[in-house]
Amino acid sequence: MSRRTPRPRPNAVTASSPCPCGLPDTYGACCGARHAGSPAPTAESLMRSRYSAFAVHDAAYLLRTWHPDTRPQRVDVDEHTRWLGLEVLASTDGGPFHQEGTVEFIATYREHGHRDTLREHSRFVRHDGAWVYVGPLPR
């Protein structure tokens, strides 16, 4: 019986890969640092790291950064969804000295061979000193 070394999935994100969030740093220096425990300094930074968590299938991070009042029991990340890009349209407040903030964005993805977009205007607040996602603002 032979043992195979598991091959990385095609398009797998590594620490030296470009960050999925679209900023010009590597995943390890950008959103990977957030996923490893470095707190997000702004609401936009948290939103970008949550987008990247979907891209790398890190459901635990998504739950950790969700406000306890609105957090679901679990998050299912579809292994067949490929996140293609993130465009931040606008943000309000959400800086180092704010307690609340919003970020409006468009995320592009491919799922089951179909390309689509998700547009959301998200609300973020500080909870126990850290930025957390509350949910989408009503349209």
Side-chain angles (χ1 to χ4, degrees):
M1 178 187 326
S2 68
R3 290 188 178 212
R4 285 193 199 170
T5 302
R7 286 196 278 164
R9 289 183 2 202
N11 303 315
V13 176
T14 66
S16 60
S17 297
C19 194
C21 82
L23 291 178
D25 219 334
T26 64
Y27 169 70
C30 192
C31 292
R34 307 279 170 258
H35 298 168
S38 177
T42 65
E44 182 178 328
S45 175
L46 180 66
M47 187 279 308
R48 287 179 176 279
S49 68
R50 286 177 55 83
Y51 168 86
S52 291
F54 278 103
V56 301
H57 307 114
D58 189 347
Y61 180 78
L62 294 166
L63 288 171
R64 274 195 319 274
T65 58
W66 210 311
H67 194 283
D69 291 346
T70 58
R71 179 176 38 224
Q73 291 275 327
R74 65 180 224 210
V75 175
D76 294 321
V77 289
D78 188 341
E79 297 284 329
H80 300 290
T81 301
R82 181 156 181 237
W83 294 92
L84 305 173
L86 175 67
E87 179 183 0
V88 174
L89 303 174
S91 62
T92 58
D93 297 331
F97 302 107
H98 295 114
Q99 294 301 308
E100 294 189 25
T102 67
V103 181
E104 185 176 5
F105 66 91
I106 297 174
T108 306
Y109 62 96
R110 182 175 304 282
E111 188 172 65
H112 306 294
H114 299 286
R115 187 180 175 116
D116 207 346
T117 59
L118 167 70
R119 183 175 184 151
E120 183 173 303
H121 194 178
S122 302
R123 181 172 174 241
F124 297 86
V125 299
R126 286 196 187 268
H127 179 74
D128 292 337
W131 285 108
V132 293
Y133 171 72
V134 175
L137 291 170
R139 290 186 179 237

